[in-house]
Amino acid sequence: MTTSLTPPQLHRSAGTRRGGLAAYYAAALAIRTSDAGSAAAIVLLALHTARDGHPSLGTYAGLLASCLTIPHMLGPLSARALSLIPNARLGLTTAFALFAMTFGAAGLLMAHAHIAMAALCLVIAGFLGPILTGGLSSHLGSLLPDNRATQRRAQSADSLTYAISNSVGNSMVGAVAVLISPLATMMVLAALAALAALLATLLPLRDIPRASASRASVKNVLLVMVKTKGLRDIMIITYGNAIGFTSLIVLATTFARSQHLPAATGPFLLAVMGGGSLLVGVWFTARPLTVDVVRAAKWCAVASGVFMFLPALGQTWSAAVAFLAVGGCQSVLNTAALAVRREASPPDLRESVFVTMAGAKVGVATLGLALAGLVPVDAMPYGFAAAGLLSLLAGLSVRGNK
């Protein structure tokens, strides 16, 4: 015997769903803006404190920032810790709140030149990083009907929150630092994380099956990711592309210097890339992806690789076109990655897979930044060619599902 919902029940269900989605996207924007601007805020505060009578802190600016970014690579351990909390909403709320407390405490400690304690707080905050991104995204699908078009639209909107947060986070850090102080930037970012924790308590998350301790172990989660074709393919595509894509953050400045262009050219190219990501994200939120998502990711990585070769021509117009197109491709690729993680992951390990893959992506992105930093100005064309080749090969290395 089946039961159907009455009109009032349907209305309440739809209202709950809309309220849950509003809380989700608000929390996503808040926590991802906090995460996106955190490294820049740390460096600004360290340099400011060094000028105010603690010169040794300036030496540790990069090291303190790495205390936040490097622990992201421990995503498998972050996933294991999150899996120990039986209630999904409690797990997210706890992670967001703990990030707010440790990041805010690190700012206060840095302002008084307590380097060791600040570094410890930042390591804890960095360990939580993959949960802020992948952990939250893993639950988006549970807020929606299991309808492909609806899921794709929501995943595109989720990808859009990353693009918005990256733009707003870094811009806000610079603005608050100039208008108030660098310490205020860290306090604002910590407050955003605290707001995300409050919003997470409003998420109407469905109960999800929890894996046993042995099944949720780091080793088993990694094995599932490697053995599951969809997850394996999307890892190859996104990680190969991520090395090339993140290298553009450094190579944009290298391009400007090699062509003797104004210093603002580098940030301009990155803004163009962000604009491309935003435009495409809005488009696919309105008109959801209908093609196979792995195939979409594959050809977006290939297209990104081709466009990354264009700045090597040394023309500003070609660089602008390339950055715009790469930003657009990245939006589709991110949406595809979210879709594949949801659909290919076992339900009881979905949260762990999202968190693990989010942490690993930060690791390969850091590698891209480091490698790009080694490219001398006169070797600029080779830097773009190498970035393009990595993305191109990552896409072409994945074969069809059949």
Side-chain angles (χ1 to χ4, degrees), residues 4-15:
S4 59
L5 294 177
T6 64
Q9 287 174 322
L10 286 170
H11 181 74
R12 285 195 297 271
S13 177

Side-chain angles (χ1 to χ4, degrees), residues 18 29 79 84 149 209 247 280 289 338 374:
R18 285 194 295 270
L29 285 169
L84 297 175
S247 71
V280 173
L289 276 172
L338 292 171
L374 300 176

Side-chain angles (χ1 to χ4, degrees), residues 350-391:
R350 183 176 294 142
E351 189 179 62
S352 295
V353 168
F354 266 82
V355 173
T356 299
M357 292 182 72
K361 187 175 181 181
V362 173
V364 296
T366 303
L367 176 61
L369 289 172
L371 293 175
L374 300 176
V375 178
V377 173
D378 56 0
M380 177 273 296
Y382 300 105
F384 280 103
L389 187 61
L390 279 170
S391 184

Side-chain angles (χ1 to χ4, degrees), residues 63-320:
L63 179 61
L64 287 169
S66 67
C67 284
L68 181 77
T69 56
I70 291 176
H72 280 65
M73 301 178 198
L74 301 176
L77 297 178
S78 303
R80 183 71 187 97
L82 187 60
S83 71
L84 297 175
I85 301 176
N87 183 281
R89 184 166 51 239
L90 177 62
L92 292 176
T93 302
T94 301
F96 295 173
L98 188 55
F99 179 86
M101 289 187 290
T102 53
F103 189 75
L108 294 173
L109 290 165
M110 287 173 60
H112 293 87
H114 297 305
I115 300 174
M117 289 302 296
L120 177 61
C121 287
L122 291 173
V123 167
I124 297 171
F127 180 78
L128 298 167
I131 300 174
L132 311 185
T133 53
L136 182 60
S137 288
S138 69
H139 294 286
L140 174 59
S142 68
L143 301 175
L144 298 158
D146 197 13
N147 171 280
R148 175 166 292 189
T150 302
Q151 291 285 339
R152 292 287 185 273
R153 180 178 287 110
Q155 288 153 356
S156 291
D158 200 29
S159 175
L160 190 59
T161 66
Y162 285 97
I164 294 172
S165 297
N166 284 331
S167 299
V168 172
N170 290 303
S171 300
M172 186 177 67
V173 164
V176 175
V178 170
L179 295 175
I180 307 177
S181 71
L183 176 59
T185 64
M186 292 193 67
M187 295 302 103
V188 169
L189 295 179
L192 280 174
L195 173 61
L198 289 174
L199 290 167
T201 64
L202 303 177
L203 296 177
L205 300 182
R206 302 174 191 168
D207 290 333
I208 57 173
R210 285 290 177 181
S212 63
S214 60
R215 181 162 164 75
S217 67
V218 171
K219 178 182 177 181
N220 188 63
V221 171
L222 293 175
L223 283 174
V224 167
M225 290 166 54
V226 172
K227 291 181 177 180
T228 305
K229 178 170 173 52
L231 295 176
R232 184 174 66 248
D233 286 349
I234 207 65
M235 281 194 295
I236 293 170
I237 295 169
T238 54
Y239 295 164
N241 170 265
I243 297 175
F245 176 76
T246 53
S247 71
L248 298 184
I249 296 172
V250 175
L251 291 176
T253 300
T254 307
F255 174 85
R257 293 173 60 197
S258 71
Q259 303 303 307
H260 307 290
L261 297 170
T265 302
F268 168 75
L269 290 174
L270 295 179
V272 169
M273 186 165 67
S277 182
L278 288 170
L279 287 172
V280 173
V282 169
W283 174 264
F284 282 110
T285 299
R287 300 175 65 89
L289 276 172
T290 57
V291 298
D292 178 79
V293 284
V294 174
R295 186 174 299 173
K298 169 189 174 79
W299 292 112
C300 278
V302 170
S304 286
V306 172
F307 280 112
M308 286 178 195
F309 280 92
L310 286 182
L313 299 176
Q315 300 294 321
T316 306
W317 68 266
S318 64

